[in-house]
């Protein structure tokens, strides 16, 4: 036999229990801290987390949960939810993190669509469950995260069990079942602005590879010396994979609970020694404002990974003044979520300060594992000139190949790339910049106007709280931008002042045709501005009456 | 259908070409620098490396190299060898890196044992090839790494081709073939002190996972801002995986060629901005001595990964005085090679300086992916008390499950662990310390004496160049240690002085029964002291004449 086929390396499967057991064995004393629903702090370590996750797996197994079953969670960021992240996939079952901020009919839809068998829920969501219980007949039992007596026994739910009582007498050891690393581990629905939510189904393999990737020095840079606090909820793309990445490196882990306000988060940052945080800009702006108002430092905080939407320049600068590096990361539920991250490389590091600052506001460069292409309307690929924008497609081992039960149809193109729905360009340094969501693009006289760029500038104005630029129909230019603004408490601003402010900051033909100060922005369940509502409502705003 | 099986994530294979293409696309301008055989520097970048590797793959394909074939290399650390590291496995073939320092009969043996089809060789090794050509009839052609005319055409070899001429007219694009990520990619024989060398066969999967692991902040910490110089030869466990890890993160890469002496290496460190080096202590001691003698700084050097043997305390301290962190890493060809690394965790970081210093001289803690157990003579597991030593077994996706063609038989135990042949213990912090190779253990009166510990202390003496402690037969205690020393040039030392020096540094019963100053240590092909020779020669040294 002349030929050699496979290498002679051990065939260890990349599964989620290996992350847990690594932390339990190698970082047993490292703390995991959770803010409880009553505001108090709960504190244990990886050794106990692992013991409890094994107990929970044994309990779920006793309840009949087996390979391929789906267990739903309706919970905030705390240790119970973290334990579910290991106990459920450890059995080869799927942990379906349900976003409680979805519309109720959507929650009903996804529980049934994913055929959830058990629902693990916080006491906060008992009333919600009671309202929908008749519409989710597939749920065999409701497990309340707490001990019996933590709430008045719910009268509206059948088969109620209590997590603490369930696991109490279970052994804290387990022989984790063996299965293929491509086995599904987690399920997270995306809340599109139209149609039903679609399910993204992570695997053990994608989760472990994503963890290995985010930990790299040029990505999230996770180490045993870090203290990581994900403010992104565990039901948002698995909190960006941090519950898994933290175990992999043995980082101290902070679960901030329900109350994601400035004072609560800042207290955790300062008292627990948080080095690394993640989340959407709005949350971190609250932290910043609280710190600035009270003249408090940010403790040992080193870096913030900012995703969900663009990192506002002003926010970056204010954090920098406090010694914290706010880093833009781009991704989506379908990308686990790391797609790009805005960290310097050798060439970019040599730019002058002003250029560098601008460069790092882009969505960033590709980590090993992610491939990207920008496709123009004619199907050709855009040049990497930092200008030519097109549809962004991505490919890699932690990127979705489709949605649960085939929703949305075949998603990949002939080269195996997934459509992100974002529009952007790539520059000579390999940095990608999102110019818009494809559905938010404003096409004026055949040219694209980036709503995101205008919004970033507007948000830099001291009076502005939130800004949204959407397209309105125009009988000459097809579409023209109109700008919506909500103001900070007590702030005053009028249309003319904003026009003057924008005058020398954007090209003339980008100037919004109207500027409207509104009381409240319509928001999505994931905390983004629901532009679709504005666009529908104001589509004829620029037409003669 | 209630059940979900696999996740809906893309099935991207973890193959070596993905590393190369990642660097070519995302870090095209980052430099790769090689010290040529004539001492000059060759310089290109990842874009050109990738183009040339694709050309070489096309050329090898034309020569008939296909999936499962084995191509041998006899070469130093330079860009040609690096290109082989991508071109050969990129085709699904196996890159067999032959250690030119093996005995000639061993080289013949492994070329035939692995059924090499083509041999890629440096001009330095033409004479070697000419001497053995009749004994390696399976070699279809010899490819000299250079252009025609770089050497006088060898008369003793049939079918000689020249690398540069071979690739010259090949296209620099390729459609890399698709294959299972468990496909063999690299082959490296271990030179045991007894018996024939045994082949360790890496896979694409093990290589990529190992790269993802070494890049982590707590491991080798590789970033696009680093400049990495592996001084470990490419034929030693693939230079510790650095040719692959560097591409993954886009680090600048320095291949130091053949002349691994202090002045040559220091020049590269200082002029190319090396931040990260790796290798055995002897090489780095030469660099250090040259720097100290010439009063030169070490440029931007930040960290040295020291493996192969224990990091001497004195060497660590001298590097520290120059602002460089020398980090102990442990592994072997069979572990790709990262097994453990001596980086602090939260608990260890809190030790006082003296304790911490001692702690970090241990072989270190486990990265995610490696599991380890210490097994005692009765088959039970040792307590992690930092004292109880036993046989070290390891498990993980970049650890061998056996040797080529089944040599050595079934290697794994019933739990899937691989025997390392090292003896050591693990402490309460999870840090492993090697006390000996199992074959070097000295068993005196039923207790183990660590040859390695004594050697480390002896090497700290200013007069000592190398030290080896081996067992000699003793009619009362079964075995007793004897110490062999070679001296630094011009240094003077006698037995009594060394005894006095050791007096308060080791426990009394560890004191060697004899101390012999010798002119030269017997060395293995991988640069380690061949203790077996000393032991055989001096086994009866302590017996009455």
């Amino acid at each position: 036999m002349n030929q050699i086929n496979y290498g002679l390396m051990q065939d260890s499967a990349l599964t989620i229990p290996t992350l847990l057991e690594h932390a339990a064995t190698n970082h047993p004393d490292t703390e995991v801290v959770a803010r409880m629903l009553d505001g108090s702090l709960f504190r244990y370590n990886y050794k106990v987390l692992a013991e409890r996750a094994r107990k929970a797996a044994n309990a779920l197994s006793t309840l009949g949960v087996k390979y391929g079953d789906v267990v739903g969670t309706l919970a905030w960021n705390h240790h119970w939810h973290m334990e579910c992240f290991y106990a459920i996939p450890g059995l080869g079952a799927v942990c379906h993190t349900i976003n409680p901020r979805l519309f109720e009919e959507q929650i009903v839809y996804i529980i049934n669509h994913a055929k959830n068998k058990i629902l693990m829920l916080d006491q906060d969501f008992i009333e919600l469950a009671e309202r929908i219980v008749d519409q989710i007949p597939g749920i065999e039992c409701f497990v309340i995260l707490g001990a019996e007596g933590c709430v008045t026994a719910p009268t509206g739910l059948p088969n109620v069990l209590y997590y603490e009582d369930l696991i109490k007498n279970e052994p804290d050891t387990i022989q984790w079942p063996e299965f293929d690393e491509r086995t599904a581990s987690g399920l997270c629905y995306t809340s599109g602005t139209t149609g039903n939510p679609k399910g993204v189904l992570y695997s053990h393999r994608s989760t472990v590879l994503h963890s290995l990737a985010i930990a790299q020095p040029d990505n999230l840079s996770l180490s045993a010396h870090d203290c990581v606090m994900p403010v992104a909820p565990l039901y948002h793309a698995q909190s960006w994979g941090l519950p898994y990445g933290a175990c992999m490196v043995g980082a101290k882990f902070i679960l901030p609970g329900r109350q994601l306000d400035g004072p609560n988060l800042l207290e955790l940052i300062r008292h627990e020694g948080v080095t690394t945080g993640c989340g959407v800009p709005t949350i971190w702006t609250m932290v910043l404002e609280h710190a600035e108002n009270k003249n408090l430092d940010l403790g040992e905080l080193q870096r913030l990974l900012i995703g969900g939407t663009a990192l506002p320049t002003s926010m970056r600068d204010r954090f920098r003044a406090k010694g914290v590096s706010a880093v833009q990361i781009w991704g989506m539920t379908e990308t686990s979520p790391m797609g790009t991250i805005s960290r310097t490389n050798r060439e970019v590091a040599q730019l002058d300060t002003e250029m560098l600052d601008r460069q790092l506001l882009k969505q960033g460069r590709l980590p090993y594992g992610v491939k990207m292409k920008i496709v123009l309307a004619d199907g050709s690929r855009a040049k990497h000139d930092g200008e030519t924008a097109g549809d962004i497609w991505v490919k890699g081992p932690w990127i979705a190949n489709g949605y649960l039960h085939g929703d949305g149809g075949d998603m990949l193109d002939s080269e195996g790339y997934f459509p992100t729905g974002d529009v952007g360009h790539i520059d000579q340094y390999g940095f990608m910049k999102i110019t818009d969501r494809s559905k938010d693009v404003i096409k004026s006289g055949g040219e694209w106007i980036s709503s995101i760029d205008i919004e970033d500038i507007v948000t830099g104005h001291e009076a502005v709280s939130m800004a949204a630029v959407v397209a309105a129909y125009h009988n000459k230019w097809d579409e023209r931008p109109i700008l919506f603004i909500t103001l900070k408490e007590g702030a005053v601003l009028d249309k003319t002042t904003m026009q003057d402010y924008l005058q020398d900051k954007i090209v003339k033909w980008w100037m919004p045709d109207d500027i409207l100060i509104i009381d409240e922005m319509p928001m999505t369940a994931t905390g983004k501005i629901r532009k679709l509502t504005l666009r529908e409502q104001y589509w004829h705003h620029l037409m003669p009456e």
Side-chain angles (χ1 to χ4, degrees), chain A residues 1 6 26 30 42 48 53 114 154 179 238 261 291 304 452-453 501:
Chain A
M1 188 200 67
Y6 286 1
N26 295 282
T30 299
F42 174 87
V48 184
F179 42 74
Q238 304 191 130
D261 53 43
L304 286 179
I452 290 175
D453 282 354
Y501 172 77

Side-chain angles (χ1 to χ4, degrees), chain A residues 119 131 209 242 308 343 369 421 438 450 474-475 516:
Chain A
L119 195 59
R131 286 196 301 272
L209 291 176
L242 284 168
R343 293 272 206 177
S438 61
S450 167
H474 192 281
N475 55 8
L516 296 104

